[in-house]
Amino acid sequence: MTQTDWYLKQCNITQYVLRNSTVFQGELATHIDEKIRLIVVAKQKPAQKIYYDILKAIRLTEEQVLFLTPSQLIISADEVKIVTWFIDVLSNEPWQNNLTINTSDLDSLAKDPQQKRKLWQQLCEYENNFHPE
């Protein structure tokens, strides 16, 4: 115990420990550029062929996609007006908005025609969000 810790304890002052200090260092501050058309939330950046095939099918480049890990998603759902795709991540109920897509992991998605069909229907529904004219 440091002298400062001891002194604070003697004064009955509760010390709080910041769990995620990177928030204040700017590492997790998220800026959504105007060119972004899709937000992908996953534990790791997708590298599977199906992911790139989907981007190609909806005519988006990697520069138009913002990748975030679940801990980086610190924006409230009300502030996001961009389609957000959660890949193998359960989105928090309060975070849900009308532009949210949830899928299982991409390897399972690639093997399941029903999941692919459902994803494709959602992507078609949001087509105007990807390419507003």
Side-chain angles (χ1 to χ4, degrees), residues 7-59:
Y7 182 73
L8 291 172
K9 186 175 181 181
Q10 296 304 313
C11 293
N12 289 324
I13 297 174
T14 303
Q15 292 186 65
Y16 293 95
V17 178
L18 184 61
R19 292 185 195 166
N20 196 351
S21 62
T22 55
V23 170
F24 290 111
Q25 296 169 358
E27 292 179 25
L28 297 180
T30 304
H31 170 72
I32 301 176
D33 196 280
E34 290 181 20
K35 68 180 178 182
I36 300 298
R37 297 288 175 244
L38 176 67
I39 298 173
V40 172
V41 180
K43 294 172 188 150
Q44 296 179 357
K45 186 169 184 188
Q48 293 89 335
K49 182 182 181 308
I50 189 169
Y51 172 74
Y52 294 104
D53 289 345
I54 290 168
L55 291 185
K56 186 176 179 181
I58 60 177
R59 300 179 325 225

Side-chain angles (χ1 to χ4, degrees), residues 81-130:
K81 306 298 182 219
I82 299 171
V83 176
T84 305
W85 179 14
F86 289 87
I87 302 173
D88 199 27
V89 172
L90 295 176
S91 61
N92 296 334
E93 283 303 316
W95 205 95
Q96 292 282 339
N97 66 24
N98 60 348
L99 295 173
T100 303
I101 298 172
N102 290 291
T103 62
S104 62
D105 66 284
L106 293 176
D107 294 327
S108 298
L109 180 68
K111 297 174 186 173
D112 188 341
Q114 287 182 317
Q115 281 189 48
K116 283 194 276 188
R117 189 175 304 112
K118 181 181 174 190
L119 173 62
W120 188 250
Q121 288 170 344
Q122 288 179 300
L123 292 171
C124 288
E125 181 181 327
Y126 300 138
E127 185 175 9
N128 292 334
N129 296 81
F130 299 133

